[in-house]
Amino acid sequence: DAGVTQSPTHLIKTRGQQVTLRCSPKSGHDTVSWYQQALGQGPQFIFQYYEEEERQRGNFPDRFSGHQFPNYSSELNVNALLLGDSALYLCASRWLAGGSGEMNTQYFGPGTRLTVL
Amino acid sequence: GNSVTQMEGPVTLSEEAFLTINCTYTATGYPSLFWYVQYPGEGLQLLLKATKADDKGSNKGFEATYRKETTSFHLEKGSVQVSDSAVYFCALSDRSGGSNYKLTFGKGTLLTVNP
């Protein structure tokens, strides 16, 4: 059973550039969320996608955008990169139609480490 | 809004010592509670969860009980091993206020276990 996968593992960009991160959810999952984890901090919710639409958004600027594809995979795009965008970006998936024990349980990928110079 | 407060680390223990990491929460609805673990250089792994009051989650010798009256979900293990060294995150999710099960995390507690 394949878990959540993310690519690339590491990425180095310069200020002002744009970046795209990719995520494939756990098999059978239909909902994908993205989180930003700054060094030494807990993850912060960016947004959540279900049925190819953004369903909920955290306190992040419009420079952060996303997409979900028909196969449930997802992309996170960040424009006009700032030094403060350097972080580990985590993708999590869950099964919206799962029973009460599973529909609220998210499983995380290994993350993409983004460094902005 | 929702929030999670967990014991700040770092916590350093000797192998076979007893572990407690405190976690309290504030939530407007009826949240589910989670402990995630993050090993160096890796993503988050779900350690255990509890979905309603008085539930006990357990896994790999770790336990936590959902205490609604004290709004707490403390993580315990009777005998830690060197391999338990990691960062532990307490988190909650619920559907209140349109949160749609997004996770709210604490800041994490770094545990180091020495042989």
Side-chain angles (χ1 to χ4, degrees), chain A residues 53-116:
Chain A
E53 289 189 15
E54 183 182 296
R55 299 292 177 168
Q56 190 181 11
R57 188 178 185 91
N59 189 25
F60 279 80
D62 292 345
R63 298 186 298 108
F64 289 77
S65 63
H67 189 77
Q68 186 179 35
F69 300 94
N71 66 354
Y72 307 118
S73 67
S74 176
E75 288 182 349
L76 164 65
N77 301 292
V78 187
N79 294 322
L81 284 167
L82 304 174
L83 294 179
D85 294 332
S86 295
L88 180 67
Y89 288 85
L90 295 163
C91 172
S93 72
R94 67 183 177 95
W95 180 28
L96 189 69
S100 59
E102 278 301 307
M103 65 189 302
N104 59 0
T105 301
Q106 297 190 45
Y107 295 86
F108 284 81
T112 294
R113 173 74 62 187
L114 172 65
T115 301
V116 182

Side-chain angles (χ1 to χ4, degrees), chain A residues 2-9 11 19-27 29-35 46-49 65-77 89-94 106-112:
Chain A
V4 180
T5 60
Q6 292 186 243
S7 63
T9 305
L11 207 49
V19 69
T20 297
L21 311 182
R22 295 176 176 83
C23 170
S24 290
K26 183 177 167 69
S27 178
H29 285 187
D30 54 10
T31 304
V32 173
S33 298
W34 288 91
Y35 292 80
I46 302 175
F47 41 53
Q48 179 181 112
Y49 276 83
S65 63
H67 189 77
Q68 186 179 35
F69 300 94
N71 66 354
Y72 307 118
S73 67
S74 176
E75 288 182 349
L76 164 65
N77 301 292
Y89 288 85
L90 295 163
C91 172
S93 72
R94 67 183 177 95
Q106 297 190 45
Y107 295 86
F108 284 81
T112 294

Side-chain angles (χ1 to χ4, degrees), chain B residues 59-75:
Chain B
N59 186 27
K60 299 181 181 179
F62 291 89
E63 292 183 340
T65 300
Y66 187 163
R67 301 286 188 202
K68 191 169 185 290
E69 63 276 14
T70 55
T71 62
S72 65
F73 193 54
H74 304 321
L75 182 68

Side-chain angles (χ1 to χ4, degrees), chain A residues 33 35 37 40-45 48 55-58 88 90 92 94 96 100-111 113, chain B residues 31-34 36 38 41-46 49-51 87 89 93 95-108:
Chain A
S33 298
Y35 292 80
Q37 185 181 15
Q41 300 296 316
Q44 297 292 317
F45 175 76
Q48 179 181 112
R55 299 292 177 168
Q56 190 181 11
R57 188 178 185 91
L88 180 67
L90 295 163
R94 67 183 177 95
L96 189 69
S100 59
E102 278 301 307
M103 65 189 302
N104 59 0
T105 301
Q106 297 190 45
Y107 295 86
F108 284 81
R113 173 74 62 187
Chain B
S32 295
L33 301 174
F34 305 85
Y36 284 88
Q38 187 172 38
E42 298 186 9
L44 300 180
Q45 296 180 24
L46 177 65
K49 67 178 183 182
T51 57
V87 180
F89 291 95
S93 76
R95 294 193 66 184
S96 65
S99 71
N100 205 24
Y101 295 123
K102 76 171 186 180
L103 283 164
T104 300
F105 286 89
K107 292 187 176 181

